[in-house]
Amino acid sequence: MKHKAFTLIETVLAVAISAIVMFAGAQLMYNLVKTSEFFETNWSLRAHADGVERYLRSSFMNSNITKASKLPEVLFSRNKNNLCIAKLFEEENSNRYYLVFSEKKAHPMYLPSTGVAVEKICFLDFIEGEGLSIIWTTNESDDRKRQAEPIIYKTFLTPYVKQLSYIYPDTVWREEPKLDTAINAMPEYVKLVFERHGETITRIISLKPVIDFQISR
């Protein structure tokens, strides 16, 4: 019994079809990788930046520091201590000042060793190469605790903030990389620049007690 062999044309056609299938498969895998990279480098960073912005915006607007006199040195305050510029408790002898706000809601970020605190005094802290953190302590009502040295906690917020600056009102808007104590005014905005895998996202958060629109790119 004779078996018919493939002709040259049939062989070439089979190879061509196989090549087309393999190319389509490779293209599909490439598209899947690119889609994964898109969500990894763009969407996730944008969602992360949105979350940090929402948290800080809400905290700034709802802040009401009831015992600002306990802070070591207050340079400026806004709207009856809604926000302050002050030194950290353990850095009274330094020249560094922080943007200070309060947090009264129970939040998993703020869980002191003594239990849930009613009011937290929060200091916005940025260290280049490390990211954005919240240094915080509690406002204790007990006289004995109030006389003791306050316990300082630090909660890491995000490693993706690569730049923090403060925007001041002037004849032209001034942007400073740190709180400028020579300017006799509170900054109007905080600017955060997020970076990850070559993607950059900017968020500008108002420090005024009004609802303003989001500025981002």
Side-chain angles (χ1 to χ4, degrees), residues 5-197:
F6 289 108
T7 65
L8 179 60
I9 294 178
E10 290 173 334
T11 302
V12 171
L13 183 60
V15 171
I17 293 174
S18 298
I20 292 173
V21 172
M22 292 178 63
F23 177 79
Q27 185 65 37
L28 177 60
M29 290 298 297
Y30 176 79
N31 290 338
L32 289 174
V33 170
K34 294 299 290 183
T35 301
S36 176
E37 287 181 353
F38 173 80
F39 282 105
E40 177 73 14
T41 61
N42 292 280
W43 179 86
S44 59
L45 179 62
R46 187 169 299 277
H48 179 79
D50 288 345
V52 172
E53 179 188 13
R54 282 194 298 269
Y55 165 72
L56 290 178
R57 186 184 296 271
S58 174
S59 296
F60 294 158
M61 292 185 64
N62 294 307
S63 173
N64 182 22
I65 305 172
T66 58
K67 299 177 183 178
S69 59
K70 292 178 60 178
L71 296 172
E73 183 178 335
V74 178
L75 276 186
F76 309 108
S77 62
R78 165 168 288 157
N79 295 331
K80 298 181 179 180
N81 299 325
N82 170 264
L83 295 170
C84 295
I85 295 176
K87 288 185 177 180
L88 186 62
F89 290 99
E90 58 185 14
E91 298 180 359
E92 292 92 337
N93 298 323
S94 75
N95 293 322
R96 186 179 183 189
Y97 290 84
Y98 297 81
L99 178 66
V100 186
F101 59 97
S102 70
E103 178 64 71
K104 295 186 178 181
K105 296 180 181 179
H107 196 287
M109 283 179 53
Y110 307 106
L111 187 60
S113 57
T114 55
V116 178
V118 175
E119 180 179 4
K120 283 73 67 178
I121 304 299
C122 306
F123 302 76
L124 190 65
D125 182 41
F126 170 72
I127 298 178
E128 188 173 354
E130 180 178 319
L132 191 66
S133 301
I134 305 293
I135 299 174
W136 57 280
T137 187
T138 60
N139 255 345
E140 298 285 357
S141 59
D142 184 84
D143 290 339
R144 180 180 58 80
K145 293 180 180 179
R146 190 164 58 234
Q147 292 172 1
E149 288 294 324
I151 301 175
I152 304 297
Y153 302 89
K154 185 171 183 177
T155 299
F156 193 58
L157 193 59
T158 171
Y160 301 123
V161 170
K162 305 301 182 181
Q163 177 185 333
L164 180 147
S165 55
Y166 298 90
I167 300 176
Y168 290 84
D170 207 331
T171 52
V172 294
W173 288 97
R174 292 182 53 182
E175 183 177 335
E176 300 292 340
K178 61 181 181 179
L179 289 165
D180 192 340
T181 58
I183 302 176
N184 190 27
M186 286 280 291
E188 294 287 341
Y189 300 93
V190 170
K191 178 180 177 180
L192 303 177
V193 179
F194 296 80
E195 291 182 10
R196 183 170 182 259
H197 297 328

